Amino acid sequence: MISVREALDTILADVQPLGRERVALLQARSRSLAESVHATRNVPPFRNSAMDGYAVRADDIATADGDHSIRLRVLEVVAAGDVPTRAVEAGTATKIMTGALMPEGADAVVRVEDTAERDGVVTVQRGVKPGTNVRHPGEDMRLGDEVLSAGRILEPADIGLLASLGNATVLVRRRPEAAILATGDELVELGEPLAAGQIANSNAYTLAAAVEEAGAVPRILGIVRDTPETMHSAFSDAFRSDVVLSTGGVSMGTFDLVRGTLRDLGCVERFWKVAQKPGKPLSFNVRGSTPVFGLPGNPVSALVCFYLYVRPTLRAMLGIPQLHLPVVDAQLADDVKTSEGLTDFVRGVLEPNADGYRARVTGTQSSGALRSMSLGQGLIVSPPEMRILSRGSTVRVIKLGEESSIDAPF
Ligand code: AMP
Ligand code: MG
């Protein structure tokens, strides 16, 4: 049996980024940027005021303070979007609004709060240093600077940055489409009643949601019965997608037909079984350049394998350099029995504390009990040589998501 690390290396060895497509700016949020972006202009494009106030020569008002104010003649009023018509000279000032182009000659802006204006003369009650309240061209982004790198997942601030450079469209990676097949004679579609021995097909939906969260596009192909004929036709259809995910049918049971079907359809199995729990029966195959994951049927096993192996594959296809989930250290709150010879991924709740995090195990660790993943936000990693993780020890935890806080931060 291969290790988790070997499995991951094997899977990622052949994955290539998909092609690129140009989309409208607002379609680009959460997409992977497919080129590095350089500033094609200075932002801000011109010297402008950071305050509503008066553009002055700092020298003129250097001596102004509480006891001694300075009077300047007001030349004109410049609003944002206006172009000043007069240069500021000794003894004069221009009334200016935030974002307005600075007049020639002025090197600072006094806030309106520190002035009083009457009959075209402004009285300044406080001196300022040269440069005060002045924004310089290129202060935010300088012409030619690389401001976003390829593989960046675009966030709202990035969208705004692209907008301030004037980009109406963006080049992004094509999203991988992942075909999802749920195999099993016991499975029932949502909304159908359960007869004896039947369960709802939850895996297809869990995986579709996880595929979307990873930035890819799910294509649910429905329930596939455990017969060679139905499996053949379902997988043949699935191979039209960029990635294939099936669940169930990869264990030792009489009706576990997935591996045989994949072999018949020209897939090359790179490995079957990984020294891990949950998720041991994972079968990984390739068909041409298409990765084909035979995920285990147990809901927790399928999702853990998704996070460990499928998510990085999808991200590699998206050209994202950061393939893996973040890992944090945490203090373990419980004693946990683990399996010698296997890497265990124990579902835990991560609680931030003064030292970092505390990890508490979520109830039953059955690989059928999906609630353990719904309750937890972390996978506590137990290396193969460990048989027990002791309460109080420091463990590594793979973070599955960020929790928002009930408490306001201030
Ligand atoms: P298998 O690997 O096919 O033997 O399935 C292992 C376990 O996972 C069995 O208890 C199945 O009933 C369950 N299972 C398989 N497929 C699904 C699915 N699509 N949704 C929920 N549970 C499933
Ligand atoms: Mg099955």
Side-chain angles (χ1 to χ4, degrees):
M1 231 178 338
I2 64 172
S3 68
V4 171
R5 180 73 219 194
E6 288 166 322
L8 192 56
D9 289 345
T10 304
I11 291 167
L12 293 177
D14 299 328
V15 188
Q16 295 298 326
L18 299 182
R20 311 193 284 184
E21 62 187 2
R22 189 164 282 285
V23 298
L25 183 57
L26 262 188
Q27 305 303 315
R29 188 186 60 84
S30 299
R31 300 286 303 262
S32 167
L33 184 64
E35 61 180 350
S36 59
V37 171
H38 294 259
T40 47
R41 55 170 72 144
N42 280 320
V43 177
F46 50 86
R47 204 168 69 110
N48 69 89
S49 175
M51 287 285 178
D52 295 324
Y54 291 84
V56 298
R57 294 155 44 112
D59 268 0
D60 278 2
I61 58 162
T63 57
D65 58 27
D67 306 325
H68 169 68
S69 54
I70 300 230
R71 292 152 60 84
L72 303 169
R73 187 163 54 82
V74 179
L75 299 173
E76 59 179 336
V77 181
V78 181
D82 286 351
V83 177
T85 62
R86 310 274 303 269
V88 172
E89 290 163 0
T92 68
T94 290
K95 189 167 194 190
I96 194 165
M97 308 301 145
T98 305
L101 182 56
M102 283 286 287
E104 294 287 318
D107 61 0
V109 172
V110 199
R111 303 185 307 163
V112 72
E113 294 90 325
D114 296 328
T115 66
E117 184 181 335
R118 210 177 146 188
D119 298 334
V121 173
V122 60
T123 306
V124 178
Q125 286 125 9
R126 195 204 288 225
V128 289
K129 292 203 179 69
T132 304
N133 297 327
V134 177
R135 299 173 183 153
H136 295 280
E139 187 176 288
D140 188 4
M141 288 179 266
R142 189 183 304 277
L143 174 69
D145 279 355
E146 184 183 294
V147 291
L148 293 171
S149 52
R152 166 101 179 166
I153 299 178
L154 296 168
E155 298 169 2
D158 304 330
I159 299 294
L161 188 153
L162 289 161
S164 58
L165 294 173
N167 295 288
T169 63
V170 193
L171 203 56
V172 294
R173 281 287 158 197
R174 187 166 72 73
R175 283 190 175 114
E177 181 185 87
I180 299 170
L181 305 87
T183 76
D185 284 344
E186 75 280 32
L187 301 178
V188 168
E189 242 343 309
L190 310 187
E192 300 291 321
L194 298 182
Q198 296 185 324
I199 58 165
N201 169 20
S202 63
N203 282 348
Y205 298 91
T206 311
L207 290 174
V211 163
E212 273 188 357
E213 189 184 50
V217 179
R219 179 163 74 103
I220 295 183
L221 292 180
I223 296 169
V224 183
R225 297 300 168 203
D226 292 323
T227 68
E229 299 73 33
T230 48
M231 287 225 173
H232 264 78
S233 72
F235 275 104
S236 303
D237 182 11
F239 294 143
R240 294 191 292 126
S241 296
D242 300 302
V243 186
V244 176
L245 311 178
S246 69
T247 69
V250 287
S251 299
M252 303 294 283
T254 313
F255 304 102
D256 288 338
L257 304 174
V258 168
R259 297 177 61 226
T261 304
L262 293 179
R263 198 182 321 117
D264 292 349
L265 290 172
C267 289
V268 178
E269 187 172 73
R270 293 265 199 252
F271 62 78
W272 177 48
K273 288 194 174 173
V274 185
Q276 71 176 71
K277 189 181 171 186
K280 189 161 85 173
L282 174 67
S283 162
F284 176 69
N285 311 262
V286 289
R287 187 170 184 276
S289 62
T290 309
V292 180
F293 292 86
L295 301 169
N298 274 307
V300 175
S301 313
L303 187 53
V304 166
C305 286
F306 179 91
Y307 282 127
L308 295 178
Y309 305 117
V310 182
R311 183 180 180 276
T313 302
L314 296 173
R315 288 170 76 88
M317 291 176 141
L318 285 163
I320 300 168
Q322 300 80 11
L323 297 182
H324 306 292
L325 287 161
V327 178
V328 295
D329 282 341
Q331 290 246 294
L332 196 58
D334 313 282
D335 284 324
V336 189
K337 274 215 196 102
T338 61
S339 338
E340 195 173 11
L342 305 178
T343 303
D344 288 77
F345 298 97
V346 180
R347 279 76 72 203
V349 177
L350 271 178
E351 291 159 351
N353 65 14
D355 308 324
Y357 290 99
R358 203 173 86 110
R360 200 161 41 74
V361 175
T362 59
T364 168
Q365 293 292 308
S366 155
S367 56
L370 193 55
R371 188 102 198 281
S372 68
M373 296 214 64
S374 170
L375 290 170
Q377 312 94 39
L379 297 174
I380 301 163
V381 183
S382 168
E385 63 277 10
M386 304 297 280
R387 289 168 63 184
I388 186 155
L389 297 176
S390 311
R391 185 194 158 132
S393 63
T394 301
V395 287
R396 305 189 77 208
V397 184
I398 300 171
K399 283 187 86 179
L400 298 180
E402 292 298 333
E403 289 274 289
S404 286
S405 175
I406 290 173
D407 299 317
F410 44 78

